């Protein structure tokens, strides 16, 4: 008896259905509510999980095969890079600050994302969605691990990489990404997916990914480039998951629309604030620039984002509330941030520096309306002070935003000469914000944000190592005089120059 | 708006005043002095006089700015919670009504270094 | 030793990241160590979960099992993402070749209808068990503590998805789509499967991540894989002319053996940590073990027939022996 002759050949779509969602069943020994306890409370209504579309139809055998091929190549290149002192091929040791920041701030986020998708992959009661989340959980673990591996060889030769684990939980500026991901994970599974898969991966990821990976390529960092290329197809899948989940939620019930809109407002702004780190890296930390933050925002934010939200308008979704202020800040945020990082560089596990003349010219060309008018004078002043042997080190602790946890260093959307400040009183306590949108996020869930572990507010309690700068440096594993401070005169600068020289001369 | 959670959700702030061993936090922003990238977080006892607080907690950290030496505290324009505010230099923080995590902005017209 | 082509040798400033030097000393670390140790956030967590404010975001107290250092629970296979996908890609190559061989040589046609039906009855509903195992392991990965303990669980979960997909393909190959429909019906309604389904659903209701790991990976799969794939399929069905089935489940047989090495070692380390842990493990393994035995016996009976009781006794002894090696004394009845 030939079974194949008896039954029609299955189409790909039908076969994939059988290999995934047909695995699920309606429980009878336990209630659905017991098995999926977190699926209802957010207020999202799903009537038919079968309406979920699987854009990739990736089965595990294909996943293993494809991913292992990518990883084999990745590790081969990494080994060669380590063996051949590939780190000497970077344009300049200042470049290292960008990847130090990446390892400290972004790689731990990949791991958190792995954890969040593991939970969502368990908690959402629809097999198709679960499988998509589970694969992303596995991918995110990959990203965390390949990044740690890619940067491991740099850590052997340069400062600032060695304590990324301790600094993930303790370093002041890392509480920005940490609180971002903690925020997403403490939300329900639907909010997590909208926050990370859609707002972050779909709307904003190009602003992170393209600059970082192109920046690596432009600056001769083969090991990061290799990671980037290797992760690209994963990212494409993740973006599709993001878009699919948002459309699915919006199509399931009109009551979902306002909830989703609220999450988009929140997570767009949360994400944008996080990406100000990236903008700063692009405009200031890459010795060889790829494009300016303003240009990236124009392409990946303004153009792509506008098209996307035009498309979502049919569901009743509008652009996130912070969009206009994001555009207004476009020509300012990276300068304001880098000025901060420079003056606080005694407390960062990467170096700051004053841009060169050539870089001034580039900044002034890319930011014709703002750089010469507002920021060049400040840099000139800093230069003067540095030349006089009295570099501007701001030992005053910065006030942090209760929501995004960045120092409140951004100016009013319509007045670049005034720092933006919002405050509220909640249950007798005062809370401060860097922007209207960070305040709105707080106002929406004050019970959550009052708990924020603000590094500066902890330091002054004496809980971060026992009080005082020296104890704090021990607490964050920061080696004073090596990891921190100005790039000029740093060990990284000296070593790189010496090794590079040795590699092209006949000196031993 | 209240948070949506599966169980009662109420936790104390991580930086309420009892964590500061008798001191309190005060945020200080110097208007139009953007060489300092962000407002400062300072700490003092609520019993400190406002003048003493300015001298011990604020002056040392703003001294980096060449304008700092020219500040006349009796002529400074203060803003608190969006309104003009006239603190008495000889009265304590507490008696001036400056609470924990209060944000004060001070403007020094005529002194505007490099930041317009 | 590779040939050094560069003209210069640079003395590194350090061999590894601080947290690894603290654990393993000043020597280069393996890729497994770099990828795994201490990479989960541990302190200064910002907010309580809205889904359960009684928990913290990474909460070691969700379990009755306590460890001074959860990173003692390492994976003897040293799998991290890269080595994991390499290993599975090779196994999947073999499995694909097996499917190809069975199909192209028409081996299914050599089986009697009765034998084929036996294989379908036994194996097709197991794809739902595998989907339960997938979800249970995502739970352990999501809420467990310490990457070396929970990273193997995300691998395990997606392995189980892979296994569910192989079982589905096996069903399609042996009986077409009808076989999957019949298998699901048996899973939902046939008396022989109800203890098993109840078991899987009950494990899904547990929110202690280590208990889920024990009930699913240690106990259920620890009994199921040797019984079903090594004994029922590889021995009993194969001798009756079901070699094809044995080829199609080779992935599962090898996977089970490989994975037990890991789960046994985790139990051993947990039990060695404290008498309290050992007592909890004994309680869990006994309770869930008793139920698993009861759920498995009716599945074995159509294949093993008269030898079922002997087979179960043998499997229980082997299982108890493995537990004893891990420091946990249990006694299960059949």
């Amino acid at each position: 008896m030939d079974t194949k002759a008896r039954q029609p050949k299955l189409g790909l779509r039908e076969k994939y259905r059988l290999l995934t969602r047909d695995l699920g069943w309606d429980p009878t020994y336990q209630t659905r509510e017991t098995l999926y306890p977190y699926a209802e409370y957010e207020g999202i209504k799903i009537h038919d999980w079968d309406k979920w579309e699987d854009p990739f139809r990736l089965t595990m055998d294909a996943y293993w095969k494809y991913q292992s091929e990518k990883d084999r190549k990745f590790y081969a290149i990494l080994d060669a890079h380590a063996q051949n002192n590939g780190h000497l091929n970077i344009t300049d040791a200042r470049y290292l600050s960008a990847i130090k920041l990446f390892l400290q701030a972004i790689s731990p986020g990949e791991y958190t994302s792995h954890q969040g998708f593991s939970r969502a992959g368990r908690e959402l009661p629809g097999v198709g969605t679960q499988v998509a989340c589970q694969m992303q959980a596995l991918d995110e673990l990959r990203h965390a691990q390949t990044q740690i591996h890619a940067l491991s060889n740099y850590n052997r030769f340069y400062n600032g990489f060695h304590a990324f684990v301790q600094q993930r939980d303790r370093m002041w500026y890392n509480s920005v990404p940490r609180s971002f991901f903690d925020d997403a994970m403490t939300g329900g599974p639907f909010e997590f997916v909208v926050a990370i898969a859609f707002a972050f991966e779909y709307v904003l990821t190009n602003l992170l990914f393209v600059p970082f990976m192109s920046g690596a390529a432009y600056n001769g960092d083969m090991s990061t480039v290799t990671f980037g290329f290797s992760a690209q197809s994963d990212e494409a899948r993740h973006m599709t998951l993001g878009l699919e989940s948002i459309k699915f939620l919006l199509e399931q019930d009109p009551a979902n629309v306002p909830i989703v809109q609220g999450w988009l407002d929140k997570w767009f702004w949360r994400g944008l604030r996080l990406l100000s780190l990236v903008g700063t890296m692009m405009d200031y930390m890459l010795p060889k620039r790829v494009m300016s933050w303003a240009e990236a925002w124009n392409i990946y934010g303004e153009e792509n984002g506008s098209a996307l939200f035009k498309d979502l308008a049919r569901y009743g979704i509008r652009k996130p509330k912070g969009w206009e202020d994001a555009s207004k800040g476009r020509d300012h945020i990276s300068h304001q941030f880098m000025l901060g990082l420079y003056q606080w560089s005694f407390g960062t596990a990467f170096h700051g520096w004053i841009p060169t003349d050539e870089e001034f010219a580039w900044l002034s060309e890319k930011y014709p309306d703002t750089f010469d008018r507002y920021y060049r004078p400040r840099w000139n002043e800093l230069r003067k002070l540095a030349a006089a042997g009295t570099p501007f080190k701001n030992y005053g602790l910065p006030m942090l935003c209760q929501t995004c946890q960045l120092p409140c260093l951004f100016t009013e959307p319509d007045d670049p000469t005034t720092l933006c400040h919002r405050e509220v009183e909640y249950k007798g306590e005062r809370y401060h914000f860097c922007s209207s949108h960070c305040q709105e996020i707080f106002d929406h869930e004050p019970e959550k944000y009052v708990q924020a572990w603000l590094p500066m507010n902890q330091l002054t309690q004496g809980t971060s190592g026992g009080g005082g700068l020296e104890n704090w440096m021990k607490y964050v594993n920061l080696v004073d005089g090596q990891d921190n401070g100005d790039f000029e005169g740093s060990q990284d600068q000296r070593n790189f120059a010496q090794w590079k020289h040795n590699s092209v001369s006949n000196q031993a | 708006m209240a948070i949506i959670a599966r169980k009662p959700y109420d936790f104390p702030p991580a930086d309420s005043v009892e964590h500061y061993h008798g001191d309190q936090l005060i945020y200080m922003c110097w208007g139009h002095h953007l060489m300092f990238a962000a407002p400062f977080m300072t700490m003092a006892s609520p019993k400190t006089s406002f003048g003493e607080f300015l001298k011990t907690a604020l002056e040392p950290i703003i001294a980096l700015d060449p304008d700092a030496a020219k500040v006349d505290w009796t002529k400074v324009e203060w803003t608190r919670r969006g309104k003009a505010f006239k603190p008495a230099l000889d009265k304590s923080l507490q008696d001036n009504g400056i609470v924990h995590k209060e944000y004060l902005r001070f403007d020094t017209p005529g002194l505007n270094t490099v930041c317009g | 030793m590779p040939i050094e082509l560069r003209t210069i040798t640079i003395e590194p400033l350090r061999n590894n990241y601080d947290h690894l030097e603290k654990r393993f000393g000043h020597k280069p670390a393996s890729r497994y160590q770099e990828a795994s140790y201490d990479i989960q956030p541990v302190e200064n967590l910002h907010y309580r979960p809205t889904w359960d404010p009684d928990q913290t975001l990474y909460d070691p107290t969700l379990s009755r099992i306590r460890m001074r250092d959860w990173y003692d629970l390492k994976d003897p296979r040293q799998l991290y993402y890269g080595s994991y996908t390499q290993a599975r890609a090779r196994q999947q190559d073999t499995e694909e070749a097996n499917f190809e061989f069975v199909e192209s040589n028409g081996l299914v046609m050599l089986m009697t209808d009765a034998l084929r039906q036996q294989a379908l009855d036994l194996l097709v509903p197991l794809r739902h068990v595998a989907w339960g195992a997938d979800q249970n392991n995502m739970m352990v990965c999501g809420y467990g503590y310490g990457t070396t303990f929970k990273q193997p669980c995300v691998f395990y979960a997606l392995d189980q998805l892979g296994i569910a997909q192989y079982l589905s393909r096996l069903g399609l190959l042996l009986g077409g789509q009808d076989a999957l429909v019949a298998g699901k019906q048996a899973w939902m309604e046939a008396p022989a499967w109800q203890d098993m389904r109840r078991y899987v659903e009950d494990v899904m209701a547990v929110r202690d991540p280590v208990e889920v790991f024990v009930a699913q990976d240690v106990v259920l799969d620890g009994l199921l894989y040797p019984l079903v794939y090594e004994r029922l399929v590889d021995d009993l069905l194969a001798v009756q002319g079901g070699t094809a089935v044995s080829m199609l489940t080779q992935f599962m047989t090898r996977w089970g053996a490989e994975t037990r090495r890991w789960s046994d070692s985790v139990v051993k380390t947990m039990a060695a940590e404290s008498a309290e842990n050992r007592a909890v493990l004994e309680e869990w393994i006994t309770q869930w073990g008793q139920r698993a035995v009861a759920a498995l016996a009716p599945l074995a009976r159509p294949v093993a027939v008269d030898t079922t009781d002997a087979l179960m006794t043998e499997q229980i002894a082997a299982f108890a022996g493995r537990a004893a090696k891990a420091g946990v004394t249990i006694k299960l009845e059949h």
Side-chain angles (χ1 to χ4, degrees):
Chain A
M1 181 177 71
D2 186 355
T3 49
K4 277 188 209 152
R6 268 196 309 119
Q7 291 177 21
K9 196 167 159 48
L10 292 168
L12 270 181
R13 188 191 173 89
E14 177 59 9
K15 187 164 180 193
Y16 189 75
R17 190 191 71 79
L18 292 171
L19 296 185
T20 49
R21 62 188 62 186
D22 193 45
L23 300 172
W25 71 94
D26 289 325
T28 60
Y29 296 107
Q30 295 281 350
T31 64
R32 234 176 141 70
E33 291 66 39
T34 309
L35 299 194
Y36 302 99
Y38 306 158
E40 306 268 329
Y41 79 101
E42 293 171 275
I44 291 289
K45 293 188 174 63
I46 303 296
H47 304 285
D48 185 1
W49 280 98
D50 278 340
K51 289 276 162 35
W52 171 270
E53 285 290 333
D54 302 297
F56 285 100
R57 306 204 190 108
L58 191 58
T59 49
M60 280 316 293
D61 53 351
Y63 180 93
W64 291 323
K65 200 177 160 79
Y66 186 57
Q67 297 295 98
S68 73
E69 275 164 23
K70 290 197 302 182
D71 263 32
R72 206 169 39 238
K73 284 182 202 146
F74 170 75
Y75 285 106
I77 294 175
L78 222 57
D79 288 341
H81 184 264
Q83 215 165 69
N84 302 329
N85 288 322
H87 60 93
L88 294 180
N89 295 332
I90 58 171
T91 44
D92 183 68
R94 287 186 302 170
Y95 166 75
L96 297 167
S97 276
I99 50 176
K100 290 173 192 181
L101 200 49
F102 194 87
L103 181 67
Q104 294 170 32
I106 304 299
S107 305
E110 306 271 15
Y111 184 78
T112 317
S113 198
H114 149 71
Q115 285 284 283
F117 278 107
S118 297
R119 293 175 183 187
R122 168 63 184 82
E123 305 297 354
L124 292 169
V127 182
T129 324
Q130 284 179 290
V131 168
C133 288
Q134 293 178 3
M135 283 188 184
Q136 182 156 355
L138 193 52
D139 291 338
E140 301 289 1
L141 181 66
R142 167 177 201 250
H143 296 176
Q145 296 184 331
T146 46
Q147 286 163 23
I148 293 166
H149 288 149
L151 297 176
S152 168
N153 194 51
Y154 286 104
N155 169 54
R156 300 177 70 217
F157 298 98
Y158 302 98
N159 298 315
F161 294 95
H162 59 89
F164 80 95
V165 153
Q166 291 83 357
Q167 288 162 1
R168 168 197 67 217
D169 294 348
R170 295 178 167 189
M171 177 55 94
W172 63 273
Y173 49 84
N174 289 332
S175 79
V176 176
R178 260 292 308 278
S179 67
F180 176 92
F181 285 103
D182 281 13
D183 193 352
M185 278 181 77
T186 48
F190 288 108
E191 181 177 359
F192 177 83
V193 170
V194 170
I196 305 301
F198 185 69
F200 197 64
E201 296 269 3
Y202 194 85
V203 184
L204 295 169
T205 218
N206 278 330
L207 280 165
L208 173 72
F209 208 74
V210 176
F212 244 110
M213 299 315 155
S214 321
Y218 267 48
N219 288 279
D221 174 7
M222 271 313 286
S223 86
T224 305
V225 173
T226 309
F227 159 73
F229 274 125
S230 176
Q232 218 159 24
S233 54
D234 302 347
E235 296 297 348
R237 260 190 292 120
H238 301 171
M239 288 173 72
T240 314
L241 168 63
L243 191 59
E244 174 49 36
S245 26
I246 208 90
K247 289 190 170 170
F248 175 67
L249 294 188
L250 295 172
E251 280 167 10
Q252 279 293 310
D253 198 294
N256 294 343
V257 176
I259 302 176
V260 169
Q261 181 71 58
W263 288 335
L264 289 181
D265 289 343
K266 168 181 173 181
W267 287 101
F268 169 76
W269 191 253
R270 278 301 244 136
L272 187 85
R273 277 295 186 243
L274 181 59
L275 289 185
S276 59
L277 279 166
V278 178
T280 308
M281 184 275 296
M282 293 170 71
D283 285 344
Y284 283 91
M285 292 184 187
L286 296 180
K288 187 160 174 58
R289 271 44 167 190
V290 180
M291 60 167 74
S292 68
W293 165 258
E295 288 167 325
W297 171 254
N298 286 347
I299 301 170
Y300 301 111
E302 206 58 61
E303 285 175 28
N304 296 3
S306 297
L308 168 69
F309 284 100
K310 204 176 275 175
D311 183 39
L312 293 178
R314 66 194 152 107
Y315 299 107
I317 288 290
R318 50 157 176 77
K319 270 185 179 177
K321 267 187 191 167
W323 198 277
E324 201 183 317
D325 283 350
S327 296
K328 285 180 181 172
R330 183 194 68 185
D331 294 343
H332 296 281
I333 56 167
S334 63
H335 314 295
Q336 295 170 353
F337 207 153
M338 188 65 183
L339 282 158
L341 291 178
Y342 174 77
Q343 60 194 258
W344 298 312
S345 71
F346 63 90
T348 61
F350 53 86
H351 296 301
W353 58 82
I354 298 170
T356 62
D357 284 339
E358 189 206 9
E359 288 165 337
F360 275 3
W362 185 88
L363 288 163
S364 146
E365 183 205 319
K366 296 295 180 188
Y367 293 97
D369 299 332
T370 58
F371 185 74
D372 286 347
R373 183 158 171 209
Y374 300 107
Y375 304 107
R376 189 194 281 266
R378 289 179 219 171
W379 283 117
N380 280 338
E381 189 69 18
L382 294 172
R383 244 189 206 184
K384 249 194 315 195
L385 290 166
T390 53
F392 190 85
K393 290 188 184 183
N394 179 359
Y395 285 104
L397 299 176
M399 173 171 109
L400 304 180
C401 173
Q402 187 75 27
T403 303
C404 73
Q405 310 212 5
L406 281 163
C408 294
L409 50 75
F410 301 114
T411 49
E412 288 287 349
D414 295 309
D415 176 9
T417 66
T418 301
L419 290 177
C420 189
H421 171 245
R422 303 287 180 273
E423 66 182 307
V424 294
E425 188 177 306
Y426 176 74
K427 290 193 177 171
E429 292 277 329
R430 304 208 69 76
Y431 297 96
H432 304 272
F433 309 93
C434 71
S435 58
S436 303
H437 306 294
C438 276
Q439 187 200 322
E440 280 164 18
I441 293 169
F442 176 96
D443 288 344
H444 198 68
E445 297 175 301
E447 300 91 335
K448 186 180 231 188
Y449 299 100
V450 298
Q451 305 165 73
W453 187 90
L454 296 173
M456 299 300 164
N457 305 38
Q458 293 296 317
L459 173 62
T460 41
Q461 291 175 21
T463 50
S464 310
L469 195 57
E470 206 176 311
N471 282 333
W472 174 78
M473 285 183 177
K474 271 191 209 128
Y475 173 75
V476 296
N477 280 35
L478 184 78
V479 183
D480 193 23
Q482 289 185 9
D483 295 331
N484 58 354
D486 202 312
F487 175 75
E488 283 303 320
S490 67
Q491 195 181 25
D492 277 4
Q493 183 188 35
R494 277 198 312 278
N495 282 344
F496 181 76
Q498 182 68 47
W499 294 332
K500 184 99 185 161
H501 175 73
N502 291 355
S503 74
V504 295
S505 74
N506 294 315
Q507 238 173 289
Chain B
M1 290 283 279
I3 196 162
I4 296 170
R6 281 180 65 243
K7 294 178 183 171
Y9 191 100
D10 186 19
F11 299 95
D15 57 3
S16 47
V17 72
E18 66 272 13
H19 291 108
Y20 292 87
H21 319 289
D23 288 340
Q24 68 171 76
L25 299 178
I26 312 101
Y27 298 114
M28 303 293 283
C29 179
W30 190 358
H32 297 281
H33 281 72
L34 294 175
M35 286 294 283
F36 299 113
F40 299 107
M41 185 175 84
T42 62
M43 191 164 67
S45 159
K47 297 193 179 70
T48 317
S49 77
F50 193 64
E52 180 68 13
F53 160 71
L54 295 176
K55 208 184 200 52
T56 55
L58 189 62
E59 283 184 8
I61 51 178
I62 64 167
L64 281 175
D65 191 299
D67 282 350
K70 296 175 224 157
V71 174
D72 177 353
W73 292 114
T74 61
K75 293 194 176 137
V76 159
E77 294 171 2
W78 293 95
T79 310
R80 187 182 69 151
R81 306 184 191 182
K83 289 189 189 116
F85 173 58
K86 291 215 179 310
L89 291 175
D90 57 343
K91 280 195 185 157
S92 70
L93 297 177
Q94 201 164 26
D95 292 342
N96 274 301
I98 297 166
V99 303
H100 178 52
K101 291 187 281 172
E102 191 82 74
Y103 173 96
L104 300 176
R105 182 189 146 114
F106 60 103
D107 282 280
T108 51
L111 295 182
N112 281 324
T113 55
V114 288
C115 304
Chain C
M1 188 64 197
I3 303 161
E4 185 62 69
L5 291 176
R6 294 291 296 206
T7 53
I8 57 158
T9 311
I10 303 171
E11 202 54 47
L13 304 182
R14 58 184 74 74
N15 278 313
N16 223 300
Y17 297 118
D18 289 359
H19 62 287
L20 296 173
E21 297 209 336
K22 197 171 154 203
R23 284 183 180 276
F24 306 112
H26 296 274
K27 56 183 184 209
S30 69
R31 288 229 157 102
Y32 170 68
Q33 290 169 334
E34 286 189 326
S36 314
Y37 281 88
D38 301 307
I39 65 170
Q40 174 214 292
V42 286
E43 56 179 344
N44 303 331
L45 309 174
H46 290 276
Y47 324 106
R48 287 300 185 107
T50 56
W51 31 268
D52 192 345
D54 297 338
Q55 301 180 14
T56 61
L57 194 47
Y58 302 94
D59 196 337
T61 67
L62 295 186
S63 181
R64 287 170 64 198
I65 293 294
R66 295 298 152 98
M67 297 295 294
R68 277 177 294 268
D69 180 3
W70 286 86
Y71 285 92
D72 286 344
L73 303 172
K74 55 184 181 285
D75 180 354
R77 303 164 300 174
Q78 306 219 356
L79 292 180
Y80 58 98
Y81 185 92
S83 56
Y84 163 72
T85 48
Q86 306 290 326
R88 292 294 174 264
R90 279 193 300 274
Q91 289 160 315
Q92 127 358 92
D93 264 347
T94 310
E95 184 71 5
E96 206 53 47
N98 289 356
F99 263 92
E100 173 67 30
F101 186 82
V102 169
E103 283 181 272
S104 62
N105 292 290
L107 294 191
V108 174
M109 251 102 73
L110 301 178
M111 291 166 67
T112 63
D113 282 356
L115 186 62
R116 192 161 56 200
Q117 196 54 49
Q118 260 189 351
L120 288 172
D121 290 347
L122 173 66
L123 295 172
V124 173
L126 286 178
R127 69 197 195 104
H128 303 294
V129 179
W131 173 240
D134 164 297
Q135 294 179 84
N136 283 326
N137 276 277
M138 288 316 287
M139 189 277 173
V140 187
C141 177
Y143 301 90
Y145 203 82
T147 307
T148 52
F149 169 53
K150 59 193 173 179
Q151 154 175 263
C153 297
V154 72
F155 300 153
Y156 197 119
L158 287 148
D159 287 342
Q160 287 287 340
L161 178 61
I163 287 169
Q165 294 175 341
Y166 283 135
L167 288 169
S168 307
R169 286 175 58 189
L170 179 150
L172 288 170
L173 184 61
L174 266 63
Q177 206 175 332
D178 293 348
L180 301 191
V181 174
K184 192 162 192 175
Q185 196 175 357
W187 171 246
M188 294 308 292
E189 291 162 17
W193 281 97
Q194 295 318 297
D195 281 349
M196 179 59 82
R197 186 158 67 83
R198 185 192 292 269
Y199 187 104
V200 171
E201 291 183 15
D202 285 355
V203 180
M204 286 180 69
V206 173
R207 300 301 296 194
D208 174 328
V210 183
E211 184 175 356
V212 173
F213 157 77
V214 167
Q216 178 68 54
D217 301 0
V218 177
V219 174
L220 181 58
D221 293 340
L223 282 161
L224 188 153
Y225 277 73
L227 173 70
V228 170
Y229 296 108
E230 290 175 27
R231 301 294 271 122
L232 297 178
V233 173
D234 287 359
D235 291 347
L236 298 177
L237 288 181
V239 294
Q240 297 173 61
T243 334
V245 181
S246 168
M247 287 186 77
L248 299 178
T249 56
Q250 194 188 1
F251 182 95
M252 289 71 131
T253 314
R254 295 193 177 164
W255 179 87
E258 178 216 282
T259 308
R260 279 195 296 283
R261 207 152 65 79
W262 160 70
S263 54
D264 285 354
S265 92
V266 172
V267 172
K268 187 174 180 176
T269 309
M270 283 177 176
E273 173 87 2
S274 67
E276 291 78 11
N277 277 0
R278 197 165 53 243
V280 172
L281 290 167
E282 282 173 359
E283 177 194 321
W284 283 342
I285 296 178
T286 306
Q287 279 174 6
W288 288 106
Q290 205 55 68
R291 291 186 56 183
V293 167
L296 284 164
L299 310 182
R301 208 166 292 282
V303 179
V305 203
D306 302 344
T307 59
T308 304
D309 293 336
L311 188 57
M312 291 310 292
T313 309
E314 163 211 297
Q315 290 295 310
I316 288 169
F319 178 74
R322 277 179 25 231
K325 267 196 198 157
V328 178
T329 316
I330 50 151
K331 198 168 151 34
L332 301 181
E333 313 269 325
H334 168 58

